[in-house]
Amino acid sequence: MTPERDVTPIAASSIASWDQEADVVIAGYGVAGAAAAVEAARSGADVLVLERTGSWGGAAAMAGGFIYLGGGTPLQKACGFTDSVENMAAFLNVAMGPGADEDRIADYCAGSVAHFEWLVGCGVPFKAEFFSEPGWEPMGDQGLMYSGGENAYPFNTIAAPAPRGHVPQMSNKKQGEASAGYMLMKPLVETAAAAGARALYDVRVQRLIVESDGRVVGIHARRYGNDIAVRARSGVVLATGSFAYNDAMVARYAPRIAGRPAASIEQHDGQAIRMAQALGADLAHMDATEVAIFIDPQQLVRGILVNGRGQRYVAEDTYPGRIGQLTLYQQDNVAYLIIDDDAQQEAMASWSPKFMLRPATWVADNVADLERDMGLAPGSLQATVAYNEAAARGEDPLLHKKPEWLKPIGSPLGAIDLRENTGGFTLGGLATTLDAAVLHVSGEPIPGLFAAGRSTAGLAAWGYASGVSLGDGSFYGRRAGRSAAKG
Amino acid sequence: MTPERDVTPIAASSIASWDQEADVVIAGYGVAGAAAAVEAARSGADVLVLERTGSWGGAAAMAGGFIYLGGGTPLQKACGFTDSVENMAAFLNVAMGPGADEDRIADYCAGSVAHFEWLVGCGVPFKAEFFSEPGWEPMGDQGLMYSGGENAYPFNTIAAPAPRGHVPQMSNKKQGEASAGYMLMKPLVETAAAAGARALYDVRVQRLIVESDGRVVGIHARRYGNDIAVRARSGVVLATGSFAYNDAMVARYAPRIAGRPAASIEQHDGQAIRMAQALGADLAHMDATEVAIFIDPQQLVRGILVNGRGQRYVAEDTYPGRIGQLTLYQQDNVAYLIIDDDAQQEAMASWSPKFMLRPATWVADNVADLERDMGLAPGSLQATVAYNEAAARGEDPLLHKKPEWLKPIGSPLGAIDLRENTGGFTLGGLATTLDAAVLHVSGEPIPGLFAAGRSTAGLAAWGYASGVSLGDGSFYGRRAGRSAAKG
């Protein structure tokens, strides 16, 4: 287990001298910290970013780079898609729940087009090309992709489908020299620096420094083995990311994801959450997690996915992260993909990245043999493969997979064992206002303390779509920067 | 939404005079508070219990009265059942998870027989008779019943089945003059009073009073419109129950149960949790909830339960609370009970309490018609009722319902609509040590502060069994009382 650390607040009166000082002090130089730095500096504040590692970037710089935006962005329009603020909100209110915060979603959707333009204004490049294949991310440098199952059942019955995964253009994807997340972070950090924001690296934030009236006025940190006290004349912004790598927190708040962190970085140890909790900060949706299922979507769409009872439970052509969540939380992390030889060959030949393609665990000449070899209840899988009859007509009355992916399961066939094949990161964190102020359990903001990114509860209450973390992280990061500059 | 209240700690230095004083001050006179009062008073402490309502009892006094105990209690033995500490722990480690705390479960199981004897020593009456029918609680004054699905699949494959729901004997059940929970609370409160514990009613606790070094030394409360300061010379015990009736907390921590509190009382507003959070207390398993499904188990066992895809998902003869949890969390709160006329008549004629018996929502002459009338996907329910073939042989290869309840579904038949027919209470709360000290997020106990009952995370991390709340509430309530008396 991660050892707990002393995060008790320090009284400002006990600080003999300050080692560093700025108007706005930001902990963490990932996407939320960078967005906060830009806006705080542009507001005229003297900004200092404290980053634990030797460089800016955080989890964002290693990510696929999706930013969830819509409501009719110039990129959506250029790719020929219609969207509206209301339509985007209708999707998110269902897809981010149960328990999604409608006020926050409405706020985010209303500001989404302007946020896209802000990113472009900071120099983030987007190529006006849509990527339509199943996959976790675009294969090339396309700028737009479905990233939350908007065009799949049930969401395509709730809101008009529109792709909202906006992906910064990579200069050199084939050689793997840059991720799309890097192409988001680089211009943001350059913009922050140009606006005057300073950064100090190798600084591990540890405790908040507070006045006797409860106002946060600084951060106590460690650097090269020394204690340093950093004064924030106007406000502190916490942006150190999730708690995916804090074993003790995961055990208490999100035990389903225990032992399976993915798409995260080890620096995501929940430190900002702990520091603010020590001041009485409230939390939200600490049990929510992103969940990836470790198989290529090119295979998923060509098979049928069944649970431990041999039953289908999700349209195989939806957002693979939704499949991951439903598998982990609703199917006890048990799933098998039933796929025939032809479909498997087709998936293998797809232009998908090969590292996620999986061989069959069991192969058989017919469904009855496969069912027996897998140890499923007699008749269970055979009843499920009655799917074939309607599939031959291009229909899927049970789960509404799109006709283009409907094809009877033939022989020979196989099953891919996907038990315990999920992983992900935590989505819950500090409860904040729409202005990114951290809320005390008494219901009022904690003076001087702001937060954004995955150390806060954002749009997601249980569900998720790729791009929501970089989306709400940058969106509310900006708010946090502006709010902290005002103080 | 519940308005948030100011729970900010008060500095002891600002208290001009104390209105009340005791060694141990306990907030809440439900089962945890009563158990704490007994043990603190028996330890020689001067004890004062602050209760918000006009009388002791809390949710416990209105409950069915199950206390989850085992490992070979005298009551289990008298009813002819064998159990062991290890066997009980093996069940709880699975049934209380995912994420259950093995150390706490081992501790609880090891002390379970002694805890039963302690309850008997306090005067809690138990009748050595086993109740074997399906139901939420015994129909008469029987003292023992299965209360967590121990004898049903899958738990009967994990540990040797033993009933552990210990129920205090009611003097006059038929007239409804007393609940079993009342028969638990009355002797505990009488024992506490005999040991010298005092109680003050109509006191609403509001904020903790702390020394500058962080030690909790009292409680600020309201009584008849006046502020009162209550000094705790040795320790404070928080035992005010769950947050099931705090809408804001439910929205942030357990949104699935929002709008559907059940088996709880309005005083369960999370106040103790909020007061301790304001001091930096850590939490655990805030998303966990007990979930009842509102139908008689006498009907459940005689039908087959299907989800919105017409698929079975749980053995219908297991603990009905487990059926409720799986329905709410894994089936999106959609369930239908398929039951034929004969079975429905049989259930109606059972000695079960009639108020939970439900009429069929749809009736039909055959499965195909019923499936169509219910709006299920064509063929889905018909495939599921292939259940009949194995059921006629006394087998249920899919879900292992016990042979005694296996009978082919005949005609005419019906379906009972159980969509959105669940409710329950919250199980998460303050993180505590096994000695009931409240843990700070830094990992150390908060000096002077103890807690037990449903304001704390107890045995349950996600799953539940009836009797776990009165069980861990009384067990760790005793610990809290002893720890607080030591200070």
Side-chain angles (χ1 to χ4, degrees):
Chain A
M1 301 288 279
T2 323
E4 297 287 347
R5 296 167 299 263
D6 186 2
V7 290
T8 316
I10 297 176
S13 58
S14 72
I15 304 294
S17 70
W18 298 97
D19 300 286
Q20 298 281 340
E21 197 162 324
D23 295 329
V24 173
V25 176
I26 299 169
Y29 217 166
V31 72
V38 171
E39 294 288 75
R42 285 181 175 175
S43 301
D46 173 36
V47 177
L48 177 62
V49 187
L50 309 177
E51 163 60 34
R52 172 171 162 180
T53 69
S55 181
W56 52 264
M62 302 189 187
F66 281 106
I67 307 154
Y68 200 87
L69 297 167
T73 65
L75 188 67
Q76 286 181 310
K77 287 178 181 166
C79 291
F81 292 97
T82 303
D83 196 8
S84 72
V85 171
E86 295 70 28
N87 192 49
M88 180 184 180
F91 169 78
L92 286 174
N93 281 330
V94 176
M96 296 298 105
D101 178 344
E102 292 192 13
D103 291 344
R104 183 174 297 272
I105 286 172
D107 176 57
Y108 182 83
C109 294
S112 187
V113 169
H115 189 55
F116 175 80
E117 287 163 350
W118 180 87
L119 290 166
V120 171
C122 288
V124 181
F126 295 95
K127 182 179 179 184
E129 188 179 333
F130 174 66
F131 179 80
S132 67
E133 287 289 310
W136 282 100
E137 52 189 71
M139 273 304 296
D141 61 354
Q142 298 89 349
L144 191 65
M145 183 178 168
Y146 282 104
S147 67
E150 298 83 353
N151 62 334
Y153 186 82
F155 301 126
N156 56 5
T157 68
I158 288 162
R164 301 193 186 95
H166 289 59
V167 190
Q169 186 174 12
M170 285 165 283
S171 52
N172 206 356
K173 173 138 182 175
K174 280 180 191 162
Q175 285 70 23
E177 287 178 356
S179 71
Y182 179 87
M183 296 307 294
L184 166 67
M185 285 304 300
K186 188 164 182 289
L188 289 186
V189 169
E190 287 172 353
T191 303
R198 296 174 289 135
L200 202 61
Y201 296 98
D202 304 303
V203 178
R204 193 180 274 244
V205 300
Q206 304 214 301
R207 298 162 70 178
L208 292 166
I209 300 171
V210 293
E211 291 286 359
S212 56
D213 64 359
R215 170 169 285 274
V216 174
V217 294
I219 296 182
H220 171 266
R222 296 276 293 177
R223 191 176 196 218
Y224 304 136
N226 300 315
D227 289 325
I228 61 171
V230 183
R231 182 180 174 200
R233 286 182 295 257
S234 178
V236 163
V237 175
L238 299 175
T240 68
S242 83
F243 63 97
Y245 275 91
N246 183 313
D247 294 343
M249 290 180 74
V250 165
R252 283 185 182 148
Y253 291 102
R256 299 283 184 118
I257 210 77
R260 51 183 92 250
S264 186
I265 57 174
E266 289 189 19
Q267 289 76 27
H268 279 209
D269 63 355
Q271 182 69 4
I273 300 173
R274 287 312 209 191
M275 289 162 67
Q277 274 188 283
L279 278 186
D282 204 4
L283 307 173
H285 306 308
M286 292 290 282
D287 56 315
T289 62
E290 183 265 1
V291 186
I293 183 161
F294 304 132
I295 183 169
D296 199 285
Q298 291 278 4
Q299 290 180 293
L300 280 175
V301 295
R302 289 177 169 86
I304 59 173
L305 195 69
V306 302
N307 62 19
R309 297 182 294 274
Q311 303 160 334
R312 288 178 72 216
Y313 59 92
V314 64
E316 295 84 356
D317 60 349
T318 191
Y319 169 51
R322 177 170 163 81
I323 295 176
Q325 286 189 313
L326 294 177
T327 302
L328 177 58
Y329 290 99
Q330 297 198 345
Q331 310 302 336
D332 300 325
N333 222 1
V334 174
Y336 307 99
L337 185 72
I338 312 299
I339 186 165
D340 66 29
D341 261 22
D342 288 352
Q344 182 77 332
Q345 293 305 322
E346 212 176 275
M348 290 289 176
S350 73
W351 61 346
S352 189
K354 295 291 185 289
F355 68 95
M356 291 274 262
L357 287 166
R358 303 278 302 269
T361 313
W362 299 272
V363 290
D365 288 331
N366 57 61
V367 178
D369 286 356
L370 183 64
E371 177 184 274
R372 186 201 57 223
D373 293 350
M374 294 171 68
L376 296 177
S380 60
L381 185 61
Q382 296 176 71
T384 297
V385 180
Y387 159 91
N388 278 351
E389 192 206 342
R393 296 193 307 270
E395 292 173 15
D396 179 15
L398 193 69
L399 288 164
H400 311 281
K401 184 154 71 166
K402 289 186 286 292
E404 66 188 288
W405 301 115
L406 288 170
K407 199 179 148 196
I409 306 287
S411 304
L413 77 171
I416 301 171
D417 188 351
L418 295 173
R419 287 177 291 186
E420 305 288 333
N421 266 264
T422 55
F425 55 87
T426 61
L427 298 172
L430 300 169
T432 54
T433 67
L434 297 183
D435 287 324
V438 175
L439 284 165
H440 189 268
V441 290
S442 291
E444 298 296 320
I446 296 173
L449 189 63
F450 307 89
R454 264 310 56 78
S455 60
T456 65
L459 300 180
W462 184 83
Y464 193 67
S466 288
V468 160
S469 284
L470 297 185
D472 72 37
S474 53
F475 190 90
Y476 291 103
R478 293 173 59 198
R479 294 273 179 89
R482 287 202 295 271
S483 295
K486 278 187 214 158
Chain B
M1 302 290 276
T2 323
E4 296 287 346
R5 295 166 299 263
D6 185 3
V7 289
T8 317
I10 297 176
S13 58
S14 71
I15 304 294
S17 69
W18 298 97
D19 299 285
Q20 297 282 339
E21 198 161 322
D23 295 327
V24 173
V25 176
I26 299 169
Y29 216 166
V31 71
V38 170
E39 294 288 75
R42 285 181 175 174
S43 300
D46 173 36
V47 177
L48 177 63
V49 187
L50 309 177
E51 163 60 33
R52 173 171 161 179
T53 70
S55 180
W56 52 265
M62 302 188 187
F66 281 104
I67 307 154
Y68 199 88
L69 296 167
T73 66
L75 188 66
Q76 287 180 309
K77 288 179 179 166
C79 292
F81 291 97
T82 303
D83 197 7
S84 72
V85 170
E86 296 68 29
N87 191 50
M88 180 183 181
F91 168 78
L92 286 173
N93 281 330
V94 176
M96 297 298 105
D101 179 344
E102 292 192 13
D103 290 343
R104 182 174 297 273
I105 286 172
D107 176 57
Y108 182 82
C109 294
S112 188
V113 169
H115 189 55
F116 174 81
E117 286 163 350
W118 180 88
L119 289 167
V120 170
C122 287
V124 181
F126 295 95
K127 182 179 178 184
E129 188 179 333
F130 175 65
F131 180 80
S132 66
E133 288 288 311
W136 283 99
E137 52 189 70
M139 275 302 297
D141 61 355
Q142 298 89 348
L144 191 65
M145 183 176 169
Y146 281 104
S147 68
E150 297 84 352
N151 61 333
Y153 187 81
F155 301 125
N156 57 5
T157 68
I158 289 162
R164 301 192 186 97
H166 289 59
V167 191
Q169 185 174 12
M170 285 166 281
S171 51
N172 205 355
K173 173 138 181 174
K174 281 182 191 161
Q175 285 72 23
E177 287 178 357
S179 71
Y182 179 87
M183 296 307 294
L184 167 67
M185 285 304 300
K186 188 164 183 287
L188 288 187
V189 170
E190 287 172 352
T191 303
R198 297 173 291 136
L200 202 60
Y201 296 99
D202 304 304
V203 178
R204 191 181 276 243
V205 298
Q206 304 213 303
R207 298 162 72 178
L208 292 166
I209 300 171
V210 294
E211 291 287 0
S212 57
D213 65 357
R215 169 170 285 275
V216 175
V217 294
I219 295 182
H220 171 266
R222 296 278 291 178
R223 190 178 198 217
Y224 304 136
N226 300 315
D227 289 324
I228 61 171
V230 184
R231 183 179 174 200
R233 286 182 295 256
S234 177
V236 163
V237 175
L238 298 175
T240 69
S242 83
F243 63 97
Y245 275 92
N246 184 314
D247 294 344
M249 290 180 74
V250 165
R252 285 188 181 145
Y253 292 101
R256 299 285 183 115
I257 209 79
R260 53 182 90 248
S264 185
I265 57 175
E266 289 188 20
Q267 288 76 28
H268 278 209
D269 63 355
Q271 182 69 4
I273 300 173
R274 288 311 210 190
M275 290 162 67
Q277 275 188 282
L279 279 187
D282 204 3
L283 307 173
H285 306 307
M286 291 292 281
D287 57 313
T289 62
E290 183 266 1
V291 185
I293 183 161
F294 303 133
I295 183 169
D296 200 285
Q298 290 278 3
Q299 290 180 293
L300 281 174
V301 294
R302 290 178 170 84
I304 60 173
L305 196 69
V306 301
N307 63 18
R309 297 184 293 276
Q311 303 159 334
R312 288 178 72 213
Y313 58 93
V314 63
E316 295 84 357
D317 60 349
T318 191
Y319 170 50
R322 177 169 163 82
I323 295 176
Q325 286 189 314
L326 294 176
T327 302
L328 176 59
Y329 290 97
Q330 298 198 344
Q331 310 301 335
D332 300 325
N333 222 1
V334 174
Y336 307 99
L337 185 72
I338 312 300
I339 185 166
D340 67 28
D341 262 22
D342 287 352
Q344 183 77 332
Q345 293 305 321
E346 212 176 275
M348 290 290 177
S350 74
W351 62 345
S352 189
K354 293 291 184 288
F355 69 95
M356 290 275 261
L357 287 166
R358 303 278 302 270
T361 313
W362 298 273
V363 290
D365 287 332
N366 56 62
V367 177
D369 287 356
L370 182 64
E371 177 184 273
R372 186 200 58 223
D373 294 349
M374 292 171 70
L376 296 178
S380 60
L381 186 61
Q382 296 176 73
T384 297
V385 180
Y387 159 90
N388 278 351
E389 193 206 341
R393 296 193 307 269
E395 292 174 14
D396 179 15
L398 193 69
L399 289 164
H400 310 282
K401 183 154 72 166
K402 288 185 285 292
E404 64 187 289
W405 300 115
L406 287 171
K407 200 181 148 193
I409 307 286
S411 303
L413 78 171
I416 301 171
D417 187 352
L418 296 173
R419 286 176 293 187
E420 304 289 331
N421 265 263
T422 55
F425 55 85
T426 60
L427 298 173
L430 300 169
T432 54
T433 67
L434 297 183
D435 286 324
V438 175
L439 284 165
H440 189 268
V441 291
S442 291
E444 297 297 320
I446 297 174
L449 189 63
F450 307 88
R454 267 305 60 77
S455 59
T456 65
L459 300 180
W462 184 83
Y464 194 66
S466 288
V468 161
S469 284
L470 297 185
D472 73 37
S474 54
F475 190 90
Y476 291 103
R478 292 172 60 197
R479 294 271 178 90
R482 287 202 296 269
S483 295
K486 276 189 216 159

